[in-house]
Amino acid sequence: MLGRAQAADAIPVGSTGGGSLQVIFGLLLVALLLAGSLYLLKRLAAPSGGTTLLRIISAAAVGARERVVVVEVGETWLVLGVAPGQVNKLHELPRQALPDGGRPAAPHQAFADRLRQIMAHQQRNVRNAP
């Protein structure tokens, strides 16, 4: 009996504090490495903005996820059909002059112009109301 008591006393009781700190430190290190690599990936994948080889001239939605896009590449315009997972060339045109002075219109510009007209019309109606 005395042998068992001595054997039980000889087994060291480990503290879980050191192991927990190692696990927390390891998780923190992995999280920092992940955040750092995501930051670098964003910085390296960002377009440089200095290239004018490719310009989107116009785009129009023709379905829920399908679009027709006119892209300028050099001296030609490509009419492309864009859908999830595929891009098809529909037509090729020589470069043309844009009707608004050479700059492609922002996709939201037509909406902004129409909203401005509606708001001006409503303000005129409010002022003329009895």
Side-chain angles (χ1 to χ4, degrees):
M1 287 284 229
L2 187 59
R4 280 186 162 177
Q6 288 176 346
D9 289 341
I11 298 174
V13 177
S15 70
T16 59
S20 296
L21 284 177
Q22 283 182 337
V23 169
I24 291 171
F25 179 72
L27 288 173
L28 189 62
L29 181 65
V30 168
L32 287 173
L33 285 173
L34 181 63
S37 62
L38 288 175
Y39 173 77
L40 285 176
L41 186 63
K42 275 186 173 181
R43 297 281 294 175
L44 293 175
S48 62
T51 180
T52 58
L53 181 63
L54 183 74
R55 279 193 328 166
I56 296 176
I57 302 301
S58 181
V62 293
R65 298 174 65 185
E66 296 84 16
R67 300 181 72 77
V68 174
V69 181
V70 178
V71 178
E72 181 179 88
V73 179
E75 293 296 317
T76 61
W77 283 3
L78 299 174
V79 181
L80 305 174
V82 180
Q86 61 181 331
V87 176
N88 296 320
K89 183 175 101 171
L90 303 175
H91 192 64
E92 187 171 332
L93 304 166
R95 183 178 179 185
Q96 301 173 10
L98 293 172
D100 63 346
R103 289 186 49 206
H108 63 286
Q109 188 62 41
F111 173 76
D113 292 340
R114 180 72 178 137
L115 181 62
R116 201 172 295 119
Q117 289 173 353
I118 291 170
M119 289 176 64
H121 180 70
Q122 285 180 346
Q123 286 177 354
R124 283 191 303 266
N125 287 346
V126 169
R127 288 182 192 146
N128 295 335

